[in-house]
Amino acid sequence: MLQIKRILFLVWVVLVFACESDSNDFNPSLGGTGTGGSLAKFTIVGDNLLVLQSGSVIQYFIGADGDLVLVRELPFFASNLETIFPYGDKVFIGSNDQVYFLGFDGDNKLDLLSSYRHITACDPVVAANGIAFSTLRNTGCRFNSDEVLDVIDISNIENPQLIKSYQTEAPYGLTVNEQNLFVCERGGVAMHDISDPQNILTKGFLEFTGETPLDLIHTQGYLIVRTDKNIYNMSYTASGVLTVLAKVE
Amino acid sequence: MRTKCFLFLLTVFALLGCFEPPPEFPDSDIEGYKPIYASDSNNTVELQGARSIDNPGQIYVKGELLLINEIGEGLHIIDNSDISSPQNLGFLKVRGSENMALKDGVLYINQFNSLLVIDVNDIQNFNIIAKHEDVLNGNSYEVPVPPVSGYYFECVDPSRGQVIGWQLTTINSPKCYR
């Protein structure tokens, strides 16, 4: 009798533990704002959701209940707006002939601060430490022009200045941390040392065969890479060794 | 000579084809295109089991949570706490979705040209806070005219929202032609 009780108890213990490991206890902390890729069209700056349309940006205020209140729709004379990227309390918009720099006025309304005209191409833009990086691509895009990585001084955001243009091939999305710039280009992912903007050095490159990296996010010391077919987690070392850790599937 | 004459006639007919006047509009049943409105599609937002990533679009990260847009279908929900072994946990079906952002557990995502506000703090029991209808434009789903010319079609009723496709079927007394 005791034996049976003991067995039943064991079975019960096993069942309880089996249930526990089965049930999904993934409970990520969702406070604050996350990070999108450089090709994103939605972004959040402070308590504002900014939605990029082809010819305008819609600014919504996010209320305490999470719902949206329309603040304004800022129209552009262009109809080719492609990417939106938050940088502190500033916002960058990439279009196919200009980079627009925006900020919030005294009434917390989004407004245009300046723009930087470049050769006509397709261009996401990111920034770190007062320097903006924009890739200009014509591969699979509209126009025949040089494909470059532009490095732009935005320490005075009212008056952006080109520091240098670097030649590249088929660049798409990009992401940046304090020391490094990661770019989807030349059919792979490149890692560049940006400590001297006048002299950007390529530290590493990982080619992707049979697929094209399009966009990437740098987060917590690793990269999430989106290609035309798949999503990968990627690691990098300070010396520039890029490694695919896993395919998300 | 005969070939030249034939070519000339062919050219004339081809040109005539270009200037063909719009046909009479029949007051009866006829084969033609009927618009499919975004509001017709099954726009229920629901949590489904994990599915394979076939056509990835925008990506979004919040800590250990990775969201991947399956273009036009919804969001893959990925537990990325072990980056060497990400876990595909499920799929939030949002038809027509392409873009998203997240703040304080609230997801902002488009559904065709509408903007949804969804509380995902407890994803198993997500809650749609609001749906802002028809506030967006310029998404890639809009198809304002039928795909093929030479057909009657049911004129678009703008009050029914965005047209996302066309169905060849029998329509009655069409007033549009392309």
Side-chain angles (χ1 to χ4, degrees):
Chain A
M1 190 60 200
L2 195 68
Q3 194 88 345
I4 291 175
K5 264 194 180 165
R6 192 170 278 178
I7 287 173
L8 278 176
F9 176 71
L10 279 174
V11 166
W12 180 79
V13 166
V14 167
L15 279 178
V16 165
F17 275 87
C19 286
E20 211 151 82
S21 60
D22 251 13
S23 72
N24 166 27
D25 51 2
F26 177 54
N27 238 326
S29 155
L30 295 181
T33 301
T35 311
S38 63
L39 305 180
K41 292 189 192 295
F42 283 20
T43 195
I44 290 170
V45 180
D47 288 328
N48 301 282
L49 171 70
L50 306 178
V51 172
L52 190 67
Q53 311 247 70
S54 56
S56 69
V57 189
I58 306 178
Q59 178 190 0
Y60 290 100
F61 176 74
I62 300 175
D65 60 351
D67 199 4
L68 303 172
V69 180
L70 179 66
V71 176
R72 72 175 301 191
E73 180 166 1
L74 185 65
F76 284 75
F77 283 111
S79 60
N80 47 19
L81 310 179
E82 287 164 346
T83 62
I84 188 162
F85 181 82
Y87 176 61
D89 61 350
K90 302 290 189 291
V91 181
F92 303 162
I93 290 174
S95 79
N96 69 12
D97 63 355
Q98 294 186 54
V99 176
Y100 297 96
F101 299 98
L102 296 88
F104 296 89
D105 67 15
D107 297 327
N108 199 36
K109 283 189 172 166
L110 189 68
D111 225 336
L112 184 66
L113 298 174
S114 61
S115 64
Y116 165 75
R117 177 171 280 281
H118 53 67
I119 50 176
T120 302
C122 292
D123 62 325
V125 54
V126 298
N129 305 325
I131 309 283
F133 303 89
S134 178
T135 57
L136 312 178
R137 169 178 59 88
N138 62 55
T139 310
C141 188
R142 281 159 282 259
F143 301 97
N144 206 12
S145 51
D146 279 349
E147 297 192 305
V148 295
L149 169 68
D150 271 2
V151 181
I152 308 157
D153 181 352
I154 51 164
S155 49
N156 177 6
I157 205 155
E158 313 274 334
N159 186 21
Q161 296 290 330
L162 179 69
I163 297 175
K164 199 168 172 180
S165 274
Y166 294 86
Q167 292 294 319
T168 180
E169 270 171 43
Y172 288 87
L174 65 174
T175 190
V176 69
N177 71 355
E178 297 295 304
Q179 305 87 31
N180 300 300
L181 174 71
F182 302 88
V183 185
C184 298
E185 59 185 323
R186 305 176 201 271
V189 172
M191 175 173 168
H192 306 285
D193 183 337
I194 52 167
S195 32
D196 177 7
Q198 299 280 358
N199 188 23
I200 288 180
L201 298 170
T202 304
K203 279 188 188 170
F205 181 74
L206 184 68
E207 192 178 347
F208 280 65
T209 318
E211 50 193 311
T212 307
L214 297 179
D215 203 4
L216 68 185
I217 296 175
H218 178 273
T219 177
Q220 299 173 77
Y222 68 100
L223 300 168
I224 299 166
V225 179
R226 162 195 160 201
T227 74
D228 55 338
K229 297 188 177 82
N230 295 298
I231 309 289
Y232 298 95
N233 286 330
M234 238 172 92
S235 69
Y236 63 91
T237 64
S239 61
V241 180
L242 297 160
T243 312
V244 170
L245 296 175
K247 178 172 151 185
V248 184
E249 50 194 350
Chain B
M1 188 56 205
R2 186 163 279 213
T3 316
K4 263 193 182 162
C5 187
F6 177 72
L7 277 178
F8 174 73
L9 279 175
L10 201 67
T11 312
V12 168
F13 279 122
L15 284 176
L16 277 177
C18 292
F19 298 116
E20 190 185 349
E24 302 268 314
F25 288 106
D27 195 15
S28 60
D29 282 354
I30 189 163
E31 187 182 47
Y33 279 96
K34 187 180 153 96
I36 302 168
Y37 295 93
S39 51
D40 299 338
S41 86
N42 179 0
N43 288 339
T44 317
V45 174
E46 59 183 355
L47 190 66
Q48 303 175 332
R51 48 183 271 189
S52 64
I53 298 165
D54 298 323
N55 194 11
Q58 299 284 1
I59 49 180
Y60 196 88
V61 182
K62 174 68 183 84
E64 297 169 336
L65 173 70
L66 168 61
L67 300 173
I68 301 169
N69 182 233
E70 184 75 27
I71 298 172
E73 302 288 330
L75 291 183
H76 300 281
I77 299 163
I78 309 294
D79 172 358
N80 212 13
S81 35
D82 178 0
I83 54 173
S84 300
S85 176
Q87 300 296 312
N88 189 339
L89 297 182
F91 190 74
L92 187 69
K93 187 189 123 189
V94 183
R95 281 215 56 205
S97 62
E98 293 171 285
N99 295 293
M100 67 281 186
L102 193 64
K103 182 175 188 281
D104 294 332
V106 178
L107 173 70
Y108 302 92
I109 184 167
N110 77 300
Q111 181 174 61
F112 299 106
N113 60 344
S114 297
L115 189 52
L116 304 189
V117 181
I118 307 174
D119 185 335
V120 293
N121 277 297
D122 176 5
I123 186 68
Q124 301 292 334
N125 300 295
F126 69 86
N127 171 40
I128 299 181
I129 295 174
K131 180 172 181 179
H132 299 270
E133 305 251 14
D134 300 337
V135 291
L136 310 178
N137 64 39
N139 76 42
S140 53
Y141 289 94
E142 197 153 27
V143 195
V145 291
V148 182
S149 58
Y151 280 92
Y152 292 99
F153 64 94
E154 216 174 78
C155 303
V156 171
D157 175 2
S159 73
R160 294 183 62 190
Q162 195 178 33
V163 176
I164 55 167
W166 293 85
Q167 183 189 8
L168 187 60
T169 179
T170 303
I171 53 177
N172 183 258
S173 311
K175 294 281 174 284
C176 286
Y177 181 85
R178 178 173 179 250

